[in-house]
Amino acid sequence: QNFVIILIKTNDGRRPTPSTMNLRTATSILGTALVGTLASAQNAEPLGISGSGTTNPSKCFWHIMAKLEEQIKLPSRLSYRAVGSGTGQKEFLGKGIEIDGVETDNGLAYNDFGSGDIPISEEDKTKFNDMGVDFVQLPFVLSAVNFFHNIPGVPSGKMGLNMTACLLSRIFDADITEWDHADIKAINPGLNVADGYPIYVGRRVLGSSSTYSITHYLHAQCPKSDKEPKGWPEDKKASKIDWNPATNACDGSSAMTKCIENNEGAIGYIDAAHGIEAGLNEIRLKNGDGVFLTSAEAGDAGVQAAATDLSALPASADGDFSKVAYYNEPGANTWPISLVSYVYIRKDLSFIESPARRTLLKAFATALFDPDYIGLCDRYGHIPVPKEVRDISLAGLKLLDMGDGKEWTFEKDTMPGHGQDDYIISQKRKSFTLYEADRLADDIAPMAEDVRQLKLELASMKSQGVYSNAGGVKSASLAWGLGALVGITILAL
């Protein structure tokens, strides 16, 4: 085994603290420690599971996987590719896989598990069940999707931009192309933009749960009809649609973030936690009760309030979830685009050759419903599903056929002797790398929030005319704010 020992001193010989050690130093420490960890296990064959799918809960998956890797004695490698819900379903089902230039539905498993913020359609479920692909869908977290904008001087929150589904339908269909349109200004009387200020519309390309969710919201609140001829059509409720050619392709959450950040006058959509973390400005959406609010204002309670009607849930995890949807639900504080994230697992796991890997997959899925693990995902904007939904998912895990694989046990209270067994996931076992990463994240979180609040304050000042038309600063307080923002940013680099 190879070990790396790192000794670091500041100029005065003290141990570095968050105030004396910047992020580059911290990253170097963690990276070097990780090299040592990998080197120590390079001669062992790790147990591995690999999933793919939605980007929305990807940080949640990665964090839980890293936690499990540190708690398992045997060398292990759990991985997840964030490629979108549509791709995750294709790789899980073996659907639309290109072979010799032809898309084929072969029913083969290209991942150990899939994940999506949309359920598998009734059509696909029937088709692949008939092909012998039986599976469970395990709903595990709720989250929010929202629209974000980049109109200089217009912040998030109560002084921000109000939008209805009908206005958004017209914007995303290129019927409204300028921010000073009379219908936009009618519900945003304080909006101060130049005449003819163009709207840059960003949208996803490949199958995306965020596209699925926003198109369902648009149709739920503003369906195309004789009364509303410019509403959202029924045939454009999907994860992948034909967009107006005047819109701009921004595929993937990271690409969408850049599209909004890099284009003044932009509007796009993304999972709300990702957008807020990136410092984007949330749009205040009209909800089912006609109230304008952001997902941050709605909070966890607003997202959970959308999922109170469980009548569309099947009785079993191997049933049809295609009717489960929470868009434009009633309630003054209810968030109108609330997502349910699913893990898809085949009931027959014999396609995974190693029995230990089969049972490790079940252990990972079990952790998604354990507060000690799913609780790690609070910071990423994910909320555990209601108890009734959780019970369906846990019962679904009992439908998995793992053959003769030995099941894993979670050690929470000390199990003398047995805690050292191979198939034990022990909360008593930790790695310094993950410990230090979590500690640094906790130290940096307040700084990141300060930066976000300063950005919102600056945007608010702009909207109140603190900036001159030429962009010059007219306020000493604004100058101080800019200086503080620069100072904090330097500390973070």
Side-chain angles (χ1 to χ4, degrees):
Q1 291 187 332
N2 299 310
F3 298 91
V4 176
I5 299 175
I6 307 168
L7 298 176
I8 298 178
K9 290 186 178 180
T10 57
N11 290 336
D12 59 2
R14 294 180 293 109
R15 178 186 179 275
T17 68
S19 62
T20 61
M21 180 173 63
N22 64 24
L23 288 181
R24 288 197 182 101
T25 303
T27 302
S28 176
I29 295 171
L30 297 180
T32 306
L34 181 59
V35 168
T37 302
L38 293 175
S40 68
Q42 64 184 354
N43 295 321
E45 182 68 28
L47 295 173
I49 60 171
S50 178
S52 62
T54 173
T55 59
N56 181 18
S58 56
K59 296 186 182 84
C60 175
F61 283 144
W62 294 330
H63 200 156
I64 292 174
M65 287 175 165
K67 182 63 68 175
L68 292 175
E69 286 177 0
E70 86 169 348
Q71 294 179 349
I72 295 172
K73 185 177 77 171
L74 298 175
S76 58
R77 178 75 173 98
L78 288 74
S79 68
Y80 180 78
R81 283 170 56 245
V83 289
S85 294
T87 300
Q89 288 191 0
K90 285 183 176 182
E91 294 183 348
F92 174 71
L93 295 170
K95 173 189 175 184
I97 305 300
E98 186 173 317
I99 299 175
D100 297 329
V102 179
E103 288 193 355
T104 304
D105 294 346
N106 56 26
L108 299 179
Y110 290 83
N111 54 27
D112 294 332
F113 70 92
S115 183
D117 303 312
I118 50 179
I120 292 173
S121 70
E122 182 179 10
E123 178 184 358
D124 280 346
K125 175 174 168 48
T126 300
K127 177 178 180 176
F128 284 91
N129 282 173
D130 290 345
M131 293 171 61
V133 181
D134 293 316
F135 54 86
V136 295
Q137 301 180 76
L138 310 176
F140 69 105
V141 288
L142 303 170
S143 59
V145 167
N146 197 10
F147 296 85
F148 292 81
H149 73 84
N150 180 7
I151 306 175
V154 181
S156 294
K158 293 184 178 180
M159 296 181 64
L161 184 69
N162 295 327
M163 275 285 146
T164 67
C166 287
L167 283 176
L168 289 165
S169 295
R170 295 171 65 188
I171 289 172
F172 277 80
D173 200 32
D175 179 64
I176 294 178
T177 59
E178 297 171 347
W179 282 115
D180 62 330
H181 191 283
D183 291 345
I184 294 178
K185 298 197 79 171
I187 61 170
N188 295 279
L191 181 61
N192 183 19
V193 294
D195 292 345
Y197 190 52
I199 301 175
Y200 178 99
V201 179
R203 46 79 177 174
R204 297 286 291 269
V205 181
L206 300 176
S208 160
S209 56
S210 54
T211 298
Y212 180 95
S213 62
I214 65 107
T215 56
H216 277 70
Y217 161 71
L218 296 178
H219 185 267
Q221 189 177 108
C222 187
K224 185 174 182 178
S225 63
D226 292 340
K227 182 180 178 181
E228 193 63 63
K230 295 180 180 179
W232 199 257
E234 173 79 28
D235 61 1
K236 284 193 173 183
K237 290 166 42 184
S239 61
K240 182 179 180 181
I241 67 171
D242 291 327
W243 293 98
N244 188 292
T247 60
N248 301 277
C250 309
D251 203 40
S253 297
S254 297
M256 180 63 76
T257 300
K258 291 179 181 177
C259 275
I260 298 171
E261 286 180 332
N262 297 339
N263 295 281
E264 286 195 2
I267 184 172
Y269 55 90
I270 196 172
D271 60 278
H274 190 128
I276 292 170
E277 182 183 34
L280 303 178
N281 290 318
E282 272 200 280
I283 286 174
R284 303 184 81 224
L285 284 191
K286 181 181 178 182
N287 72 5
D289 270 19
V291 177
F292 291 97
L293 74 171
T294 64
S295 70
E297 291 169 337
D300 289 357
V303 176
Q304 290 172 319
T308 54
D309 181 2
L310 305 178
S311 59
L313 280 173
S316 174
D318 59 355
D320 178 19
F321 286 83
S322 64
K323 303 297 189 296
V324 177
Y326 299 113
Y327 308 111
N328 205 45
E329 295 293 312
N333 194 57
T334 300
W335 182 245
I337 314 179
S338 294
L339 293 186
V340 182
S341 295
Y342 300 81
V343 164
Y344 321 123
I345 303 179
R346 296 190 178 214
K347 292 165 70 174
D348 180 0
L349 294 176
S350 60
F351 70 94
I352 300 176
E353 293 185 4
S354 165
R357 287 181 55 221
R358 296 175 206 155
T359 54
L360 181 58
L361 174 57
K362 182 180 178 181
F364 164 71
T366 301
L368 298 177
F369 303 96
D370 185 327
D372 290 341
Y373 296 93
I374 201 63
L376 298 171
C377 302
D378 290 349
R379 68 176 67 176
Y380 311 120
H382 301 300
I383 307 162
V385 292
K387 180 182 183 302
E388 298 87 343
V389 182
R390 178 178 180 270
D391 289 344
I392 291 174
S393 294
L394 288 174
L397 289 173
K398 296 178 181 179
L399 301 177
L400 304 182
D401 181 1
M402 298 171 294
D404 58 355
K406 180 178 176 59
E407 294 213 33
W408 296 73
T409 300
F410 288 83
E411 180 187 30
K412 296 189 176 185
D413 296 323
T414 302
M415 301 162 52
H418 297 292
Q420 280 295 100
D421 291 347
D422 284 346
Y423 289 82
I424 297 293
I425 299 173
S426 175
Q427 293 187 3
K428 309 299 180 180
R429 184 177 289 113
K430 301 181 184 296
S431 76
F432 179 76
T433 301
L434 193 57
Y435 161 79
E436 192 71 359
D438 282 341
R439 188 184 67 79
L440 285 170
D442 290 339
D443 289 337
I444 293 165
M447 181 191 303
E449 179 61 18
D450 288 344
V451 172
R452 190 180 74 85
Q453 291 296 333
L454 272 172
K455 287 181 178 179
L456 294 179
E457 184 178 334
L458 293 176
S460 177
M461 288 178 176
K462 286 183 182 180
S463 69
Q464 296 175 50
V466 177
Y467 272 116
S468 71
N469 290 337
V473 177
K474 286 188 175 181
S475 167
S477 63
L478 178 58
W480 178 89
L482 285 167
L485 176 59
V486 170
I488 290 175
T489 304
I490 289 172
L491 284 173
L493 296 175

